[in-house]
Amino acid sequence: MEKVNIREKLGQFNDHWNPRIVGELNGQHVKAVKLKGEFVWHHHDHEDELFLVTKGTLKMEFRDKTVEVNEGEFIIVPRKVEHRPVAPEEVHILLFEPASTLNTGNVENERTRKTLEKI
Amino acid sequence: MEKVNIREKLGQFNDHWNPRIVGELNGQHVKAVKLKGEFVWHHHDHEDELFLVTKGTLKMEFRDKTVEVNEGEFIIVPRKVEHRPVAPEEVHILLFEPASTLNTGNVENERTRKTLEKI
C-alpha cells in the first residue's frame, strides 16, 4: 500500500516501446512506457487496452481514422480492433490492460516484449 | 474509439462522492469522482481499487497509517483492506476497479451509490 508517482517511474528508464509494470490489480497490469516513432499494426484477440497520456501527444491510428490523444486524455482500444500507436515526438503513457496482454498483440517481431520488468 | 479528456469529464459535475463512469474495459470501470471531506471506513471483499489523483491531495487512511497521494500519483488498495479516503480540500480522482465495485464496499449508508451515471 505504497503510492506510485508516475513521473518518478518514467524517470527510471529512457528506452522506447518497452513497458514496465508499475501496478497490479484484479488481474490487470498498470504499465508505464515511453513511445517514439511508429509501432506495428496489430490487434489483441482478448484484451481491451487503455492508453493514458501523461506527457506529449499520441497519434492512435485505426484503419479508418487517427485519434490524437494529448496529455490528460485517454483512449480505450477494444479487443480485435487493429491499431498502430505513432509518436512523432516522445510521449509518456500509462497503460491499463489484462496481465495477459502482449505489447504487439497478434504480431511477433523484434518489438515484442514477452517479459516485462517491474519497477 | 473516441478519446476521453479527464478534465472535461470532471467539469461536467460538482457534487462529491458520486462517481461517474467514463470508460469500460475488460470488465473494469474507469470512474471520475470529486471528493471533499471524510468518507466512511469500509473494505471491498472481492475488488482491488486504484485511485489516481488528477488534482489536489488525497489522504488515504488505513488502520495503521495514512498515505498522502498527490496529483500525478496513484495508490492501489487491495481487496479486504480497510480504508477511508479523506480530502481536507477538494480532490479529483480517476478510479480503476471492477464493474462490480460498490463505492462503500461492505457498508451501506446514505453515501452508497448503487447506480452510476455514464458521462
Side-chain angles (χ1 to χ4, degrees):
Chain A
M1 266 116 59
E2 300 300 323
K3 68 178 179 181
V4 172
N5 184 296
I6 298 167
R7 192 174 303 166
E8 187 273 324
K9 292 292 186 193
L10 284 155
Q12 290 188 32
F13 60 92
N14 284 309
D15 53 343
H16 299 127
W17 309 106
N18 188 6
R20 267 71 169 185
I21 297 168
V22 297
E24 298 186 55
L25 71 164
N26 307 301
Q28 316 291 306
H29 278 163
V30 186
K31 299 170 186 170
V33 64
K34 293 180 178 180
L35 311 182
K36 190 174 181 189
E38 299 175 351
F39 205 52
V40 289
W41 279 103
H42 68 284
H43 72 272
H44 304 271
D45 280 328
H46 305 293
E47 296 99 350
D48 312 319
E49 285 191 297
L50 185 151
F51 296 75
L52 171 61
V53 176
T54 65
K55 188 178 175 187
T57 297
L58 171 68
K59 291 181 192 292
M60 185 61 78
E61 295 186 1
F62 301 103
R63 288 298 186 186
D64 62 343
K65 68 173 179 178
T66 298
V67 180
E68 195 173 287
V69 189
N70 301 299
E71 184 174 327
E73 298 179 336
F74 68 80
I75 189 167
I76 293 172
V77 180
R79 61 195 68 187
K80 300 188 192 301
V81 172
E82 272 200 302
H83 58 285
R84 182 172 79 142
V86 175
E89 303 296 328
E90 184 176 85
V91 55
H92 296 184
I93 304 277
L94 216 57
L95 294 166
F96 295 85
E97 53 193 22
S100 58
T101 310
L102 190 64
N103 65 328
T104 51
N106 62 312
V107 174
E108 198 162 318
N109 66 11
E110 76 285 354
R111 287 281 183 71
T112 303
R113 296 282 175 272
K114 290 199 175 176
T115 54
L116 302 184
E117 187 186 0
K118 290 184 196 186
I119 63 172
Chain B
M1 265 116 59
E2 300 300 323
K3 69 179 180 181
V4 171
N5 184 296
I6 299 167
R7 193 174 301 166
E8 187 272 325
K9 291 293 186 193
L10 283 156
Q12 289 188 34
F13 60 91
N14 284 308
D15 54 343
H16 299 127
W17 308 107
N18 189 6
R20 268 71 168 185
I21 297 168
V22 297
E24 298 187 56
L25 72 165
N26 306 301
Q28 316 290 306
H29 277 162
V30 186
K31 299 170 186 169
V33 63
K34 294 181 177 178
L35 312 182
K36 190 173 182 190
E38 299 174 349
F39 205 51
V40 289
W41 280 103
H42 68 284
H43 71 273
H44 304 271
D45 279 329
H46 305 293
E47 296 99 352
D48 312 320
E49 285 191 297
L50 185 151
F51 296 75
L52 171 61
V53 176
T54 66
K55 187 177 176 189
T57 298
L58 171 68
K59 290 181 192 291
M60 185 62 78
E61 295 185 2
F62 301 103
R63 288 301 187 184
D64 62 342
K65 67 173 179 177
T66 297
V67 180
E68 196 173 286
V69 188
N70 301 299
E71 186 174 326
E73 298 179 335
F74 68 79
I75 187 167
I76 294 172
V77 179
R79 62 194 69 187
K80 299 186 193 300
V81 173
E82 272 200 301
H83 58 286
R84 183 171 78 144
V86 175
E89 303 296 328
E90 185 176 85
V91 55
H92 296 184
I93 303 277
L94 216 57
L95 292 166
F96 295 84
E97 54 192 22
S100 58
T101 311
L102 189 64
N103 65 328
T104 51
N106 62 314
V107 174
E108 199 164 315
N109 65 13
E110 75 286 353
R111 288 280 184 71
T112 302
R113 295 282 175 271
K114 289 200 176 175
T115 55
L116 301 184
E117 189 186 359
K118 291 185 195 185
I119 63 172

